[in-house]
Amino acid sequence: MLKIGILKALSDQVTAEYYSAYLYMSMSAYCDQAGFKGFANWLYVQAQEEIAHGTHIFEHILDRGEMPQLGQVNAPPLDFAGPLEVFTKALKHEEYVTSLINKIASLARDENDHATYNFIQWYIEEQVEEEATASLIVQKIKFIGENSAMLYTLDTEMAARTFTDPFANTNTDAADA
Ligand code: OFO
């Protein structure tokens, strides 16, 4: 059982995580078409992570015996002015997601929902990493400036990222449980 406010907040977070995936897919598509295949890869992997984040919350709601209240996933922006704008927007987005996660933690604490409070701690840690990573990439791109050789090197480095399911060992198939 979940209190109605917590069910709503967790459900909204599923939608927010899927929007994050959509946003990163759009950014990935833009970078791909602009010739930045490494950035495109990094962002596509990020989109896969966001789907995993959303799905894990979805499963948690099911595990608590509730029906996830799935909302509409809005369309992401389709055009960007270059890698710097992409990653600046990614950082801003992650700061916004952090605020959403923090609200869930505060609500769970206020409602004495220890299970949700415990569950959301992983996301609090994750957001620290998400913001730090996006911030570092913004810094690097700013440092590179107009140097296309260095930008090419960074793009090549970003091609190395691969997807690992962060919940590979923890997911339960709630539908079969
Ligand atoms: Fe789900 O961490 Fe980014 O948004």
Side-chain angles (χ1 to χ4, degrees):
M1 280 288 285
L2 283 167
K3 288 192 177 155
I4 189 76
I6 294 190
L7 172 60
K8 168 104 176 66
L10 288 173
S11 297
D12 287 350
Q13 194 59 34
V14 176
T15 308
E17 299 288 347
Y18 274 83
Y19 175 77
S20 297
Y22 235 34
L23 177 63
Y24 285 117
M25 283 173 76
S26 185
M27 290 172 164
S28 173
Y30 163 79
C31 287
D32 180 276
Q33 293 300 294
F36 296 110
K37 301 289 184 185
F39 289 127
N41 170 69
W42 193 97
L43 291 157
Y44 186 71
V45 171
Q46 186 62 32
Q48 290 174 286
E49 276 206 3
E50 300 298 356
I51 291 168
H53 295 169
T55 304
H56 193 57
I57 299 170
F58 173 87
E59 291 182 353
H60 177 77
I61 296 170
L62 292 176
D63 285 346
R64 302 288 299 277
E66 299 286 357
M67 176 79 188
Q69 311 290 300
L70 299 179
Q72 179 173 324
V73 180
N74 291 328
L78 299 177
D79 201 20
F80 303 90
L84 181 57
E85 191 191 34
V86 165
F87 283 94
T88 301
K89 284 196 165 161
L91 174 57
K92 261 197 136 20
H93 179 70
E94 289 305 332
E95 288 168 351
Y96 170 65
V97 172
T98 298
S99 75
L100 298 177
I101 295 290
N102 286 343
K103 274 186 200 154
I104 295 174
S106 299
L107 184 64
R109 184 198 55 210
D110 294 349
E111 297 280 357
N112 286 323
D113 183 340
H114 300 289
T116 297
Y117 188 75
N118 187 46
F119 172 80
I120 213 68
Q121 297 308 307
W122 184 91
Y123 288 82
I124 290 174
E125 283 293 314
E126 175 69 4
Q127 283 311 119
V128 173
E129 201 181 301
E130 299 268 275
E131 285 189 34
T133 306
S135 177
L136 183 60
I137 297 169
V138 168
Q139 273 183 312
K140 283 184 180 176
I141 297 174
K142 280 185 178 165
F143 176 77
I144 285 168
E146 299 300 308
N147 187 327
S148 50
M150 282 178 77
L151 191 59
Y152 178 76
T153 302
L154 180 60
D155 184 59
T156 306
E157 282 173 16
M158 305 276 275
R161 187 181 188 191
T162 55
F163 175 65
T164 313
D165 184 348
F167 308 109
N169 300 318
T170 57
N171 272 345
T172 56
D173 187 352
D176 295 340

